[in-house]
Amino acid sequence: MIELQKIISVLEGVETLNFKNVLVKGIAYHTDRVEEGYIFVCIKGYQTDGHLYAQKAASKGALVLIVEDFIEGIAIPQVKVSNSRKALAQISAYFYGYPSKDMVMIGVTGTNGKTTTTFLIDRVLQKAYGKTGLIGTVIVKNGDSYIPAELTTPESLDLQRYLWEMKENNIKYTTMEVSSSGLDLNRVDTIDYKIAVVNNISRDHIDLHGSFENYVNAKKKLVRNLKADSVAILNGDCTETLNFGIETIAPKITFGIKNPFTSVVAESIDLSKSETSYKLKVNETLVFDGREIQPQEFEVKLKIMGLHNVYNSLVAATVGLIMGVDVADIQKALYEFRGVERRFQLIYNDEFKIIDDHFANPGNIRITLDTIKKMNYSQFLLVYAIRGSRGVTVNSENARVIAENKELFGLKNIILTTSNDYVGKKDIVTDDELNCVVKILEEGGIKTQIYPTLAEGVKRAIDLAQKDSLILLGGCQGMDFGAKIALDYIYQKIVSRQKLSVKTLKELKDKIYEPLKDRVAGI
């Protein structure tokens, strides 16, 4: 336990009420997690105000309240701050002993590719150094154990606890996704990043930040907070990303495909086969943490498809190089990687193909469609789960990108779904969102088939599929269960039309469901 006075010593400009220097056992920002001897931090959120639950927290044994406004009628010590979210980050880091300072922290931000890039970096470091940590949209991994993630970037208290647990497990290298909301809401204020990656920047989360400028400004906090002995790795093909370079005192390393003058470049890219390959060329000496990486080049092969994964793997290879990983280990780790769920994931490859993709924003959609253009197929079928409760602006922008690409696919109709059978309250598609998508697509000459349930939409696409068709299951939360629905339906159709032995049935089931083996979302 720690004295209250020591904990709040890291806060600036505090006022106190009913102050006693009590011993603090823990911290909570949700009343369900309050225990005897805890500090309860009252956060003013988007949907509710933690101050409304202060009395409940006190009744459950909270000894101290962190507040933005003093609350009458509660006799326990109250510590008033100007920003309780920021205070939560500061006292959480102190309480857990600033664990990020004892490991190499790698933060990855950007509009697209964060999840795959963090997984790739983690695999490279794991190949070389054994146990690693990984925090992001899909999982929180601590060495050999992992749990499903609740947020892309956890709330600061949870994040500090995860890092403390990793430190206790002797984890020395942790890679994490750093979202714009995580940066804007002070969740990573006290994280000491040694490497910051900016994948790319395009329009996204306008509903949360209010404008593109605010969104970009939130992202820039990651590089602004870097120290001089850190490094920023920036996409040299993205002008918006390159502008991040002037925001940091840290040295910069650039990567790219189109710009041959970047620090690290991918050349001779081959996307035509079932595997991706390219030549990685280091154009200049890279310096980090006392290491010097001389100009060199080597081949990279990937089992994952897509131009976007060339970018993602280029970042992972660059991180590996400056972290002292042998080239052979980098090559092997990248080649063995089979992809992240719902990131252009090939889930079925038989008489026709099914690809499952996050399809979240204009940049993501454009990259996905650009990759599909380079593939061979007889017919393209798109099942699109509309983004619920994200607003008309976000959905209009997504629909326009789809409409702009219709000629390249001979796309005359799209299967739309509002996924009413699977989405929760926060992802319900409003009438305005549905109507704006339909209007833009139909004005673009694309007919729409609208299904209120995800199951109906996915099954309809499979029924329409021909030999060598390509079905794309595109969407965010509304498409999380799409892959499971598709494979269930395919399995049932095969079983219903032929009599199979128990052994053959098991082999068929293992084969069909193999892509979902380590799945977290939609299971």
Side-chain angles (χ1 to χ4, degrees):
M1 293 194 288
I2 305 175
E3 292 178 4
L4 175 60
Q5 184 62 56
K6 291 182 178 178
I7 293 175
I8 66 172
S9 68
V10 300
L11 304 176
E12 295 181 356
V14 301
E15 298 178 40
T16 61
L17 180 67
N18 308 322
F19 185 80
K20 293 179 183 178
N21 193 25
V22 295
L23 291 175
V24 174
K25 177 183 173 184
I27 305 169
Y29 58 89
H30 195 293
T31 53
D32 287 348
R33 298 175 185 174
V34 172
E35 296 181 19
E36 288 279 349
Y38 270 42
I39 290 176
F40 178 68
V41 182
C42 301
I43 294 175
K44 292 183 178 180
Y46 292 111
Q47 296 183 337
T48 191
D49 184 348
H51 293 71
L52 299 174
Y53 305 93
Q55 184 64 64
K56 181 179 179 181
S59 68
K60 292 187 71 174
L63 288 180
V64 183
L65 299 176
I66 301 289
V67 300
E68 292 183 12
D69 303 295
F70 286 131
I71 304 170
E72 295 181 2
I74 301 179
I76 63 175
Q78 299 181 36
V79 180
K80 184 179 175 182
V81 296
S82 59
N83 185 329
S84 56
R85 280 191 186 277
K86 190 169 185 178
L88 178 64
Q90 292 168 327
I91 66 172
S92 299
Y94 180 86
F95 187 83
Y96 284 106
Y98 300 95
S100 70
K101 294 184 181 297
D102 295 313
M103 58 184 79
V104 176
M105 292 294 304
I106 302 159
V108 179
T109 198
T111 305
N112 299 304
K114 294 187 296 295
T115 302
T116 300
T117 300
T118 54
F119 269 78
L120 283 164
I121 293 171
D122 180 70
R123 293 297 174 87
V124 168
L125 296 179
Q126 184 176 301
K127 177 68 69 176
Y129 301 122
K131 290 193 301 186
T132 55
L134 177 65
I135 300 171
T137 303
V138 180
I139 60 171
V140 175
K141 179 174 82 78
N142 180 352
D144 296 327
S145 66
Y146 68 89
I147 58 172
E150 294 181 12
L151 296 168
T152 297
T153 303
E155 187 55 79
S156 58
L157 174 63
D158 305 315
L159 178 56
Q160 294 294 339
R161 186 181 74 254
Y162 293 147
L163 293 175
W164 176 78
E165 289 169 349
M166 291 176 187
K167 178 183 173 182
E168 292 292 294
N169 193 25
N170 294 314
I171 299 295
K172 301 298 183 185
Y173 309 94
T174 296
T175 308
M176 66 175 288
E177 294 183 55
V178 187
S179 66
S180 58
S181 58
L183 288 157
D184 202 35
L185 299 176
N186 307 104
R187 293 175 189 161
V188 297
D189 279 6
T190 52
I191 304 298
D192 191 14
Y193 292 105
K194 289 293 285 183
I195 300 173
V197 175
V198 186
N199 268 359
N200 48 66
I201 297 293
S202 60
R203 291 178 65 84
D204 196 15
H205 296 302
I206 308 304
D207 56 315
L208 174 64
H209 297 284
S211 70
F212 179 64
E213 290 71 25
N214 291 343
Y215 167 67
V216 173
N217 198 47
K219 292 283 191 186
K220 285 180 177 178
K221 285 180 68 176
L222 180 63
V223 297
R224 284 194 193 116
N225 294 337
L226 292 177
K227 297 176 181 175
D229 61 349
S230 302
V231 65
I233 300 178
L234 309 174
N235 186 336
D237 291 342
C238 176
T239 302
E240 197 69 59
T241 302
L242 283 175
N243 289 336
F244 280 50
I246 62 176
E247 302 285 339
T248 182
I249 61 172
K252 275 75 71 177
I253 294 173
T254 57
F255 66 94
I257 292 173
K258 301 171 187 175
N259 182 354
F261 302 107
T262 53
S263 311
V264 183
V265 66
E267 298 180 343
S268 305
I269 300 168
D270 185 356
L271 302 172
S272 63
K273 304 179 181 65
S274 59
E275 294 183 351
T276 301
S277 65
Y278 63 90
K279 180 174 70 177
L280 184 151
K281 184 178 180 182
V282 180
N283 285 323
E284 62 191 36
T285 302
L286 309 178
V287 179
F288 176 69
D289 201 25
R291 304 182 192 92
E292 287 191 3
I293 312 303
Q294 299 302 320
Q296 58 187 285
E297 55 186 55
F298 55 88
E299 295 296 319
V300 173
K301 290 186 178 181
L302 307 170
K303 290 180 180 177
I304 51 178
M305 300 181 293
L307 188 64
H308 53 296
N309 282 321
V310 174
Y311 280 106
N312 297 336
S313 62
L314 200 56
V315 170
T318 301
V319 171
L321 287 170
I322 66 174
M323 290 290 293
V325 181
D326 290 340
V327 168
D329 283 338
I330 293 172
Q331 290 172 311
K332 190 172 182 182
L334 296 180
Y335 184 68
E336 290 175 349
F337 183 66
R338 300 181 62 184
V340 179
E341 62 181 61
R342 307 233 46 239
R343 268 54 176 188
F344 208 80
Q345 182 185 11
L346 182 64
I347 63 161
Y348 187 70
N349 187 17
D350 206 310
E351 67 271 30
F352 54 86
K353 288 182 173 68
I354 302 178
I355 290 173
D356 187 17
D357 190 70
H358 198 51
F359 222 59
N361 54 64
N364 181 193
I365 293 170
R366 194 171 283 112
I367 290 169
T368 297
L369 295 180
D370 283 345
T371 299
I372 288 174
K373 291 171 197 173
K374 298 176 175 66
M375 299 175 67
N376 296 318
Y377 50 85
S378 63
Q379 173 198 35
F380 178 58
L381 296 164
L382 172 59
V383 185
Y384 177 48
I386 297 168
R387 293 199 73 176
S389 300
R390 297 307 189 276
V392 169
T393 301
V394 169
N395 281 286
S396 296
E397 291 175 348
N398 288 355
R400 287 191 189 97
V401 176
I402 295 170
E404 288 166 6
N405 284 272
K406 65 166 186 171
E407 300 298 338
L408 296 163
F409 303 103
L411 197 59
K412 296 180 180 177
N413 60 75
I414 287 178
I415 295 170
L416 298 178
T417 177
T418 51
S419 307
N420 295 349
D421 47 343
Y422 284 101
V423 296
K425 184 178 178 181
K426 69 182 181 65
D427 297 308
I428 292 174
V429 178
T430 66
D431 289 342
D432 287 343
E433 289 169 332
L434 172 61
N435 292 337
C436 82
V437 171
V438 172
K439 183 173 184 289
I440 289 169
L441 292 177
E442 293 192 344
E443 285 178 349
I446 301 174
K447 293 182 180 179
T448 57
Q449 301 175 45
I450 304 168
Y451 293 92
T453 70
L454 179 60
E456 290 175 293
V458 171
K459 290 176 182 179
R460 177 59 177 159
I462 292 171
D463 288 340
L464 291 171
Q466 306 165 0
K467 181 175 172 54
D468 297 324
S469 290
L470 174 59
I471 299 173
L472 175 64
L473 305 180
C476 294
Q477 291 81 6
M479 189 55 77
D480 277 348
F481 286 85
K484 178 69 162 54
I485 292 168
L487 298 184
D488 281 345
Y489 190 52
I490 290 168
Y491 177 74
Q492 290 162 8
K493 288 186 74 165
I494 294 173
V495 170
S496 67
R497 62 178 179 242
Q498 52 187 304
K499 202 167 186 178
L500 302 172
S501 67
V502 174
K503 180 182 177 184
T504 305
L505 272 174
K506 184 180 183 306
E507 290 172 348
L508 174 67
K509 196 168 189 177
D510 288 345
K511 177 186 175 184
I512 287 178
Y513 289 101
E514 199 275 337
L516 304 184
K517 185 179 177 183
D518 298 316
R519 188 89 171 218
V520 175
I523 297 296

